[in-house]
Amino acid sequence: MAFTQPPLPFDSNALEPYGMKAETFEYHYGKHHKAYVDNLNKLTEGTELADKSLEEVIQISFKDPSKAGIFNNAAQVWNHTFFWNSLKPAGGGAPTGDLAAKIDRDFGSFDKFKEEFSNAAATQFGSGWAWLVDDGGTLKVIKTPNAENPLAHGKKALLTIDVWEHAYYIDFRNARPAFIKNFLDQLVNWDFVAENLAKA
Ligand code: MN3
């Protein structure tokens, strides 16, 4: 069974009032994300990995240096789907409930979390991702290069931001910090984060 690209969870123009143009999604979802799916299918066709879940392919290929190309494409398929779900129109602001309590417990305050997350996203040198993760019951912020993700490292992803230049160049040109601030202020889908936290 071939790997598929899930639909965007919102219309491509739904985030225009919140700083991200439809053109961003035409390229980032329609070309970059799609290319990772197409490449993954080409690289796994006729192999034992073709029938595994995407998560299994990521974990198997991460441990095998001869499968680096498969890992990069599989992880980028997963990372982008996770990123689209991390966004919503009129999102951002502060979380509530158990999630808010755990952020306060593990970072000291929501402002401290935002500072740590922004700093990780801004200082990831070159291409990569910043994440809020659940690491054995403790919430942490991590950053990963290129396609690497928490799944490869046995951590549960809760939230991500793509800081590859293609993620922000149409809307923010070279201003990665402005993209990060806009993400936190207007786009974070805290309901998605809470759902991930609640999963076993
Ligand atoms: Mn990307």
Side-chain angles (χ1 to χ4, degrees), residues 1-74:
M1 199 186 81
F3 298 98
T4 55
Q5 184 181 24
L8 266 183
F10 40 75
D11 290 338
S12 63
N13 64 1
L15 305 188
E16 292 222 334
Y18 309 100
M20 292 180 79
K21 294 184 186 78
E23 187 187 355
T24 287
F25 294 97
E26 283 158 22
Y27 280 84
H28 199 180
Y29 173 81
K31 296 186 189 293
H32 291 274
H33 192 194
K34 182 178 185 300
Y36 294 125
V37 176
D38 292 345
N39 287 337
L40 178 62
N41 282 319
K42 277 184 212 143
L43 290 168
T44 55
E45 194 180 359
T47 76
E48 78 280 5
L49 291 177
D51 296 319
K52 305 278 188 197
S53 71
L54 183 59
E55 289 78 4
E56 286 172 320
V57 172
I58 290 168
Q59 284 164 335
I60 292 166
S61 60
F62 185 62
K63 296 188 187 94
D64 182 348
S66 76
K67 293 186 168 63
I70 291 174
F71 172 78
N72 285 335
N73 284 283

Side-chain angles (χ1 to χ4, degrees), residues 103-117:
I103 285 176
D104 286 345
R105 182 195 67 190
D106 295 337
F107 295 96
S109 68
F110 181 61
D111 282 346
K112 282 280 180 201
F113 155 75
K114 282 205 294 187
E115 194 181 313
E116 205 172 310
F117 187 86

Side-chain angles (χ1 to χ4, degrees), residues 28 32-33 36 76 80 83-84 129 162-164 166-167:
H28 199 180
H32 291 274
H33 192 194
Y36 294 125
Q76 286 292 76
H80 282 88
F83 179 48
W84 313 138
W129 302 79
D162 184 345
V163 295
W164 285 56
H166 67 227

